[in-house]
Amino acid sequence: MRAFSTRAAATAVALASLFFASPGNAAEREFLSRFEGSFTGGGTVQRNAAERPNQVTCTLTGQPGASGLLISGKCGIGGFSRQIRADLRYDSATGRYSGTYVGASVGAAGLSGKRSGDAVTLTITWPRPVNGDTKASMTIRNSGNGRLAIVVSDQLESGGPRAKVTQLALNQN
């Protein structure tokens, strides 16, 4: 019985060391833990070049996991609100994030990118053209001080310059 428990303990230690030994994994877990909880705030959203930016208010919840992050909630203006959701997974082998974003009227979009410091910069791949193309960028920033910022940049006109079409600033409750 003692040999079994010693072997089991050694196996557990070996597995734990594989899981926790990678500095990248520990750093990502620490970073992802910043998103735990609920956030409220707002900012602006501009859908196209013909429209002025609209002020919105948002309530989001962050749910970090062992190797990913789910941010979900809603943003609205007046009596209208839209559900939004970013579901990200971290791949420690590549150091990259990937996942999906739901919130635009064109449907679920793919996300892919990398973290640098306190921000994850992602390429959004829309399922159908938005403002004349299928690519945009999203930056999700959390410096660990209870503040979350999300910025989406896109072209407002086909072939035009990139602009910040979504700028949200939220505080942790």
Side-chain angles (χ1 to χ4, degrees):
M1 183 74 161
R2 182 177 164 103
F4 176 76
S5 59
T6 302
R7 192 173 311 143
T11 301
V13 169
L15 288 173
S17 68
L18 284 173
F19 184 72
F20 292 109
S22 170
N25 285 343
E28 291 311 310
R29 281 193 304 278
E30 185 281 323
F31 174 70
L32 294 172
S33 72
R34 298 175 183 181
F35 293 90
E36 177 76 38
S38 57
F39 296 81
T40 56
T44 59
V45 175
Q46 183 175 1
R47 295 182 338 152
N48 56 52
E51 187 178 283
R52 293 180 54 119
N54 293 300
Q55 287 291 136
V56 297
T57 58
C58 302
T59 301
L60 303 177
T61 300
Q63 299 171 332
S67 63
L69 172 65
L70 173 63
I71 300 173
S72 61
K74 59 184 170 180
C75 290
I77 181 171
F80 173 78
S81 68
R82 180 176 299 249
Q83 292 292 121
I84 63 171
R85 177 182 176 110
D87 192 355
L88 294 170
R89 295 284 163 245
Y90 176 71
D91 181 343
S92 61
T94 63
R96 297 188 59 80
Y97 283 86
S98 63
T100 57
Y101 168 71
V102 175
S105 60
V106 296
L111 296 173
S112 176
K114 200 165 187 148
R115 178 169 76 95
S116 177
D118 63 0
V120 178
T121 302
L122 304 153
T123 297
I124 302 172
T125 304
W126 305 113
R128 296 191 325 254
V130 173
N131 297 318
D133 66 358
T134 59
K135 299 288 186 194
S137 66
M138 175 186 288
T139 300
I140 302 171
R141 182 177 308 277
N142 188 323
S143 59
N145 61 358
R147 295 195 173 138
L148 169 64
I150 301 172
V151 175
V152 176
S153 297
D154 197 6
Q155 292 176 311
L156 290 174
E157 299 177 40
S158 184
R162 295 186 80 68
K164 293 178 181 176
V165 296
T166 299
Q167 296 185 77
L168 303 176
L170 301 107
N171 292 309
Q172 195 165 27
N173 299 330

